[in-house]
Amino acid sequence: MNQSPKIVAFLCNWCSYTGADLAGTSRMKYASNIRIIRIMCSGRVEPTFVLKAFKEGADGILICGCHPGDCHYHEGNYKCLRRFHLLQKYLVQMGIPIERLKLEWISASEGVEFAKLVNEFTETLKGLDPSQIKKTVETFS
Amino acid sequence: MSQRVNLNLKNELFLYGAKDWNQCFQCGNCTATCHTTENGFFFPRKTVRQVLMGLKKSLQINIDPWLCTYCGDCSKTCPRDANPAEMMMSIRRYLISVYDWTGISKLLYKSKKLEVASIFLLATIVMILYLLFTTFPSGAAARWIGPDGGALINKMAPWRRIHLGDWIMAAGLITLIVTNVFYMWYKIIYEDKSLKLGFIDYLRPISLLPKIFHPDKKYAKCDEKKLFLYWSLHLFLALSYALMFTIIVFFLGWFQTDNVYPIYHPQRFLGYISTIGLFVGIIYFYTNRTIKNMENSKYSHFTDWTFLILLFSTTLTGILLHFFRILGWPQLTYITYLLHLMVLVPMLTIEVPFSKWSHMIHRPFSLYFAYLKKLAIINHKIILNNCT
Amino acid sequence: MEEIRIGVYICWCGTNIANLVDVENVSKEIQDLPNVVISRDYKYMCSDPGQDLIVQDIKEHNLNRVVVAACSPRMHEITFRRALEKSGLNPYLFEMANIREHDSWVHTNRNEATKKATDLIAAAVARVKWHEPLEKRSVDVNPATLIIGGGISGISAALEIANSDKQVYLIEKTGVLGGLVSNIDLTYPYLNSAKQVIDHKIIAVMNHPNITVYLNTVIDQVHGYVGNFETTIHTSSKEIKLSFGSVIVATGLKPFDVKKVINYGYGKLFNVITSIEFEKVLKSGIIITRDGRVPKDIAIIHCAGSRNEDYNAYCSRTCCMTALKFINQIKSALPETNIYDIYSDMRAFGKGCEELYSITSKRNVMFLTFDHRVNLPQIRQASYQDTCNLLIEFKEKFSGESIEVPADIVILMVGMEAHDDAKQVAHAVGVSMDGNRFFIERHPKLDPVATTTDGVYVVGTCQSPKDIPDSVSQARAAAARILATIQSGSVNVEVTTSVVNEKICCGCQTCIKVCPYTAISFKEDEKVSFVNEILCKGCGTCGSACPTGAIKCKHFTDLQILSEIEGLMSLQEV
Amino acid sequence: MTAIYSCDTLNGSTDPLNSSEIIDYAAKLPGVSAVWLPSDISLTDPEQVSKKIQKNNIKRIVIAGNNAGMHKSFFSRAMVLAGNNPGDIILASFLEYGASHKNEVERAKAIVACAVYGVPFENAAVPEDLPLNPATLVIGGGIAGIQASLEIAASKNIVYLVEKSATIGGHMAMFDKTFPTLDCAACILTPKMVEIGQHEYIKLMTYSEVQEVKGVPGNYTVKILKKARRINPDTCTGCGTCAEKCPPKKPSEFDANTTLRRAAYIPFPQAVPNKYLIDASICTYLINGKCGACVKLCPVPGCINLDEKDEVVEINVGNIIIATGFKTFNATKFGQFGYGKYPNVLTSIELERLINAAGPTGGKIAKRVQDKKGNWVFTHESVYTPKSVAIIHCIGSRDVNYNKYCSKVCCMYSLKLAHLLKEKLPESEINEYYIDIRAYGKGYEEFYNRIKKEGVNIVRGRPAKVEQYGDELIVRCEDIEGKRIIEQKVDMVILAVGTEPRTDSAKIAEMLGITVDTYGWFKEFNYISDPVNTFSGGIAIAGACQGPKDIPDTVAQASAAASRVLQSIARNKIKNGIKSLSLEQIETKAKELSQILQE
């Protein structure tokens, strides 16, 4: 059980970040555990970023990009998707529950969906125990 | 069952003097301004809607136009100049023709010519009768000049005969009126199956009786302040008329006399009072309608004018007749007497059952029916969203 | 490396932020972070005094990094960068923390929101440390313009630009210019002839020396960047390569397919026709039912497919007035006809429109109201002995009566929808679409015609339903932008591009495979990749694909993002 | 063979032009075989007309008049009956090219001529080019003026932006949020204002008025009256010390008279230019020669000069854009709703200020209450927050007794206000009373639905009056769809006032030689195909001074106006106004073109 899970989110500038802004301009309310990092395209998300975030003590990581076919850079989100699958495998090997990593498509007009997504993800993470990764890393280094 | 809409109803209503209210965009301003409006009751907008949509059935059993006090607030503030107030009056005329089973009033309202013609027709009939039943103006007339040279009306036109005529006419008119009111009741109350009224309910509104005679208090709330004068004069006129009516119909023998009483004698000063009442009223309403200074006098249907004119000339001839008699000018007296009858009779026979005057009957009865409807609501707790 | 001196500025945004974030405390807390020289808060940072504040501080405390915590960077990043420039600091030594859209507006608990704000700002501070000065690069503008769509918007824009002696390529999918306007008979509110409006424009376009018109032509992917785009177009016969500096998208929209509304029985009842079809009838000059009789009753139903969740939720803006126009035309052609206008809200909002409404209502028309959301009118065939073809049944809203309306012809005022190929176009030129498949402008008020892709403009009805004057204004607005760009002769291009560190590059050429813009090529001789920074749009895909980390995505370097993450977590209580 | 039908207008203009003169002229035009007047033709009987057509073997019909289109369908029917092509009906609509007044007979003739020759008016009426001065004058510093200036300045050409009041920003700066996106007006506008203030190509002249305009398109000489600020804007630091001790007070225009300002004041904290000035009309020193506290207090020596005089500067420009905007309807005219009589009946613009964080109550919604001195003021005390608010639409719009036209924005901003109120006072009850909801724009309908879901109770029906009993206001209205009479007790009534032309719009029009319509909105060249140009060359109109507009349309139109200017700059020439063309010129051109067309 984890009352205040820490979420780091990588949002692409064109669809998802705009969607998140829309959620703001239309005053939707969602859980405040999320911290958003803006990148130009979900294709920019490197595994390193995700792992770093876990290392720094994030309980969950959310990656959002444009819907398939809507990418501002044509196919960045597909590349992101491929990496995501690989990364999931890797997480399993490292013994990190894959629920902690989530990839979703949020378009510029989906403020509601974004708010819903954040709340759901927070709920799942509340279900899990606080992430031990940071401690582990500290103890071993 | 869904009613079929009908675009021509409103065009038909133009014949009853309606102004152009196609402009109406149903903002509901009229309802909100109207002071007679209470929940479930009387929406000018609703009536306008029925007309615009041509819902004949609903309109014919609509009582609202009769409840309208014609203060004109709605027309004043209407954002589209659609004249709801004037429309209420036109619908009244329409309804009068609906209640009148003979169908005569429909004809009279729709054609000016017919109205005028019928007036003259009646006038001639009166003249003929007059010539038949009195021996005027055969030279014998000279015989009915009193010793003092004054006129002897009762010799020329014995009051019993006139009285008889009175009563015959009255009988006719009353049957018409009664049947019309019955028809009105039939349409408004009886046909509306949602109303469940026991016999006793019909007696309850006795308390309402005085209301029938003086206009109801809601005027006080109207913005149009000139209305006080308007209604007091209207009342004055109505009362003086009623007075004169009773005298003639019931006390003609006492009223139509050849001897000249002193001024303070009731036979004279009562006569004067009612005459003044009638004159003042007529002149006031006439000027109102000509200078159009109030919403309720802005628009006049020709029947409004004919009524005023007839009433005026009746009163005039009446009072002249009186003075001529007192001054002892027999010939003039006899002619004015004839003229008096020639305007009086058409006025009564046309205006009372078929035209403007019938509001004298319909208005009180509509108040009565409206009250009954309210009772029905209260008694049976039925929501009357269409109290029309 | 010089000492890092960061200034942090936190905006109240009136009460928008201050309501939920304890701004003063946050700024105190931030003050203690390493390298933070000064941390202030102000009511409106974006306002003139707000910006002056930054400028002065930079001078006084010789700051070399600036963080502003306010609204979304998509809103004001530019503004503040300009402020930095003014004080002689490189605009890219700046970072923005979004504590409004992503914080104060979406949360309810003051403490949490405040905490979050602190974190976000801390992250920004950590990130901005590693920011590097980037030099704006400007490239010359190709004065030619590509206009997609030959409707009234496209034509107006084309003329506007061509009349200033600039080359225009006008591409039309169909065989004729004029678009929807050429279908209609008269325009509202003044009932002028649409033909007379559009025809001379078409003629002018056709024989304009500066306009090249391509009919029956579709467009390929548009490559390049603002000022220097290029694409191939496919005419019926051949393929042509075009290069141009700006793009105007004026693809318009198409009428709603009213078959979807079952109640109206369009297609089955053959005297039920759409407004578009009726325009043709009016043009033909003779108004008769499909079975050749002169109609006695004509009914018009508004909002067919508009303002209804089941079809299109939005209002199509033009139908109400078109309906009023129809009434006037029918009345003048057949004065005896009874007209029933069945509407929901009469949207006569433009100049002269309310007047047209009142003129129309004088013409002995019956206006009826229905509920555009639930139980729409039901149209059915009338019986043979009946006086009319069709009967429309519905509950009249103003009277509450359920009524039936006789009609020989029923005109459905069909709404407007985006074209089916809107998506392809959006992709070809790189603009995004909203839920209704209309193109999204950069900002509805700040910038109603530009898009998030520089040099691409969306005008007219392809961004939302509009009437002719509004479309024309928009077309001209876009033209204004383009003319201004051409006048100034050069534009600044993306500087947050990728660069290859040739020392580390192993020449695996992965980057070349992933780059969507073919911006990366391979130097055979040195066996390394290199990025054409003009073509690069800075998506950073290559950066994350590069196995050796040789590719650096400017302004989104690994270092910057990783330290942002660190900063984000640094203050988290464990 | 052509026939001309000269129709009488359906909505009569105030001083209609003398049609007989036009008819005589038209009859002489080549190919015209018949001229029909309304008296000759019964517009109910197309057969009769079709016979006429066949008899005189007419092939084309020109309908001339103010609302020519009103009769088109009738004639096309007649044409078809006569076996002709209905396409051969040409409308010579006088309104379309702004010939509706009796002093525009010449243009009316020209329009008819073009129609008879079958040449579009635009193509025939092509004025000659004139040399151009690239500088531009923009009148009015609202969003329209700002947008236009920025667009033009972006091309590195000089723009003079003249604003009457002490700051730019106009009405938009007064708003709290903007519909339907609800982003705060300040956030959108202030950056643009800042940019104006800093732009090297924009010469900003606030607190100034255009006095006279001389010259020809491409080279206008404009006299501008720079009212004395009495505080030197170059040296003023905006510290505000001068205002501290400044005694006299006056309702603040920017706060829609909900607050008081001093003689030495700054319109609002984010004003551009962000400098103080002194309002001579209430400055004690200037009235009775005493005081002058500000001069003593001002830290910058010589910054304040109370005896500064107005000055007149003269500039030369090639183009002029008019963006003078609108004024809100004066609600006191609307007696029924007791505005001005009841302290808690507010106009929408007052509420905007009340909601705004920088407003009189710092963004708190509170009723007006009587202070010790007995005048009504807004309070911060929460006990006075209204429990229920009524918003009444169409105040002074869509009403024959006031303005016939629809003000276009009221519906939407009322919904917006309802939302903002609901946001600030979640538990209080918000009522909207409307006639038709006109949510026409992108995302507007969605916004409307959303407001409904938020629990704002939206009633169809126009209230008749507002009455005050105690400190309670009662709104009486029919709920048309609910079929009942509402007598709503509310604490606050908001009147959604419509927009009106500026009082001086006629003056400006007269000064610049352009026309205004019956209401006083500026008239465009052609509403459909050319909504920004006017009949005088080099003068364009932008934004709400042409007719009510919302912000997106205003911005778009402002840019459109700019495009006209940029076009002329690009060509380095400018077309003269249509006005400059004589009837003969147009006619001969039309003749040529028609010959070309025939070949």
Side-chain angles (χ1 to χ4, degrees), chain D residues 32 86 193 317 378 418 519 579:
Chain D
V32 177
M193 289 164 66
V317 295
F378 292 103
Y519 307 110
K579 291 200 313 196

Side-chain angles (χ1 to χ4, degrees), chain D residues 459-474:
Chain D
V459 179
R460 187 175 206 134
R462 181 182 193 262
K465 58 176 60 180
V466 174
E467 275 160 346
Q468 190 168 30
Y469 296 110
D471 60 352
E472 209 167 44
L473 294 161
I474 293 183

Side-chain angles (χ1 to χ4, degrees), chain C residues 185 271 273 276-295 298 326 329-335 337 409 411, chain D residues 45-47 50 53 71-89:
Chain C
D185 186 23
N271 275 314
I273 64 175
I276 307 291
E277 289 165 340
F278 191 67
E279 290 281 4
K280 291 202 184 66
V281 173
L282 286 172
K283 276 187 142 183
S284 77
I286 203 92
I287 304 171
I288 47 169
T289 62
R290 290 273 171 90
D291 43 354
R293 297 188 295 101
V294 174
I298 297 180
F326 283 167
Q329 291 192 264
I330 298 168
K331 272 290 173 188
S332 76
L334 310 166
T337 334
I409 300 178
I411 305 168
Chain D
D45 177 4
E47 278 74 10
S50 69
I53 292 173
H71 307 290
K72 178 169 186 273
S73 308
F74 170 79
F75 282 100
S76 32
R77 180 132 182 273
M79 285 290 259
V80 173
L81 291 176
N84 293 356
N85 170 11
D88 292 335
I89 293 175

Side-chain angles (χ1 to χ4, degrees), chain B residues 87-130:
Chain B
M87 194 193 88
M88 285 299 150
M89 294 303 116
S90 328
I91 295 177
R92 275 192 184 188
R93 297 187 194 106
Y94 171 74
L95 287 178
I96 289 174
S97 71
V98 169
Y99 302 146
D100 171 35
W101 52 273
T102 60
I104 297 172
S105 70
K106 197 178 256 81
L107 300 172
L108 292 184
Y109 269 124
K110 285 188 177 176
S111 114
K112 217 178 254 162
K113 287 198 193 64
L114 209 60
E115 170 124 349
V116 179
S118 47
I119 290 170
F120 278 101
L121 177 69
L122 285 164
T124 31
I125 292 172
V126 171
M127 189 151 82
I128 293 161
L129 290 176
Y130 188 84

Side-chain angles (χ1 to χ4, degrees), chain B residues 1-8 10-11 20 22-26 45-46 49-55 58 80 386 388, chain C residues 338-340 343 354 357-358 361-362 364-369 386-388 391 393 396 398-399 401-406:
Chain B
M1 176 53 214
S2 51
Q3 287 191 66
R4 172 84 56 105
V5 294
N6 163 15
L7 244 169
N8 300 327
K10 64 179 173 193
N11 302 343
D20 180 8
N22 288 333
Q23 282 281 41
C24 171
F25 59 26
Q26 296 286 304
R45 203 203 96 257
K46 202 171 165 73
R49 198 63 189 156
Q50 289 169 348
V51 176
L52 291 179
M53 290 169 62
L55 305 175
S58 329
R80 276 287 192 104
N386 58 339
T388 50
Chain C
N338 302 330
I339 303 180
Y340 309 90
Y343 71 100
E354 186 69 22
Y357 180 22
S358 63
S361 49
K362 282 201 192 99
N364 188 21
V365 184
M366 188 182 294
F367 286 98
L368 301 162
T369 47
D386 206 328
T387 57
C388 57
L391 287 176
E393 272 186 37
E396 210 281 335
F398 282 167
S399 60
E401 309 266 0
S402 61
I403 57 166
E404 66 177 17
V405 177

Side-chain angles (χ1 to χ4, degrees), chain D residues 131-151:
Chain D
L132 173 82
N133 172 344
T136 308
L137 167 67
V138 177
I139 306 173
I143 178 66
I146 291 175
Q147 181 70 19
S149 312
L150 288 175
E151 296 279 5

Side-chain angles (χ1 to χ4, degrees), chain A residues 6 8 14 17 20-21 24 28-32 34-36 38 43-44 46 52 56 69 73 79 83, chain C residues 72-73 77 98 101-102 105-107 112 116 119 427 452 514 517 539-541 544 556 558 566 569 572:
Chain A
K6 315 180 189 73
V8 174
W14 302 104
Y17 198 87
D21 279 358
M28 324 245 161
K29 301 294 174 211
Y30 55 78
S32 64
I34 185 163
R35 306 280 185 270
I36 294 169
R38 179 168 71 129
R44 174 74 182 96
E46 288 182 33
K52 172 73 172 178
E56 293 299 326
Y73 305 105
K79 303 194 178 86
R83 289 197 197 105
Chain C
S72 164
E77 197 164 39
N98 183 347
E101 279 84 349
H102 291 182
W105 275 356
V106 288
H107 302 322
E112 288 178 3
K116 179 169 179 179
D119 291 345
H427 276 205
T452 44
V514 297
Y517 298 100
C539 64
T541 318
S544 39
F556 287 91
D558 298 5
E566 258 173 46
M569 294 296 159
Q572 292 268 11

